[in-house]
Amino acid sequence: MLVLVAERLGLPLSQVYRVATFYNALSLQPKGKHLIHVCTGTACHVRGSARVLDRIKMELGIDVGEMTGDRLFSLETVNCLGACALGPIVVIRNEYHGQMTPAKVKSTVKKYRKETSSKRHEKD
Ligand code: FES
């Protein structure tokens, strides 16, 4: 894909690659339907975001930067989402889940799985 973009723009491939890998909004890896961002900024960290992140990794069976085999979830970390008072914060599909705890992870992930499953059934 990058080669095609470079050819169409008449730019060196290295320049296209540099832009594609610089911005967080762009990715060379496919993303899951639900992108999960766990804030690991200072305020969230002191309130336990590392334990929340570990629980999410365990629940999904993936590490940061990876996507689940069913392509439903991708997991990423961010440094601060600007809502420090609500930390630890987890954002899934642009929905903020404040004061997240490891105990809430399973039900939160289940909610998105169920939502996706019911939408698939509606299409059938
Ligand atoms: S440190 Fe997590 S929202 Fe600011």
Side-chain angles (χ1 to χ4, degrees):
M1 184 58 137
L2 292 182
V3 172
L4 181 65
V5 171
E7 284 174 3
R8 291 273 170 96
L9 295 175
L11 296 170
L13 180 58
S14 61
Q15 196 171 343
V16 173
Y17 182 81
R18 196 172 39 205
V19 170
T21 56
F22 180 79
Y23 294 101
N24 284 339
L26 303 176
S27 174
L28 300 180
Q29 302 296 323
K31 301 286 183 193
K33 182 177 178 67
H34 306 298
L35 183 54
I36 300 177
H37 283 114
V38 178
C39 182
T40 55
T42 305
C44 289
H45 178 76
V46 297
R47 292 181 174 148
S49 66
R51 285 183 282 119
V52 170
L53 180 59
D54 285 344
R55 187 68 182 91
I56 293 173
K57 287 180 188 177
M58 198 172 83
E59 182 66 29
L60 299 178
I62 59 173
D63 209 337
V64 173
E66 295 180 346
M67 177 176 65
T68 55
D70 58 6
R71 297 176 172 244
L72 268 186
F73 298 98
S74 290
L75 180 60
E76 294 182 357
T77 58
V78 293
N79 288 327
C80 182
L81 293 160
C84 307
L86 300 175
I89 300 254
V90 172
V91 178
I92 305 175
R93 241 184 33 198
N94 294 324
E95 294 174 11
Y96 280 56
H97 299 271
Q99 298 172 336
M100 182 58 75
T101 64
K104 291 181 186 174
V105 167
K106 190 175 187 112
S107 62
T108 304
V109 167
K110 188 177 177 182
K111 174 190 156 202
Y112 287 92
R113 275 204 173 108
K114 192 174 178 181
E115 190 180 297
T116 303
S117 173
S118 63
K119 282 185 181 171
R120 281 185 182 154
H121 289 300
E122 286 174 12
K123 288 180 182 176
D124 294 339

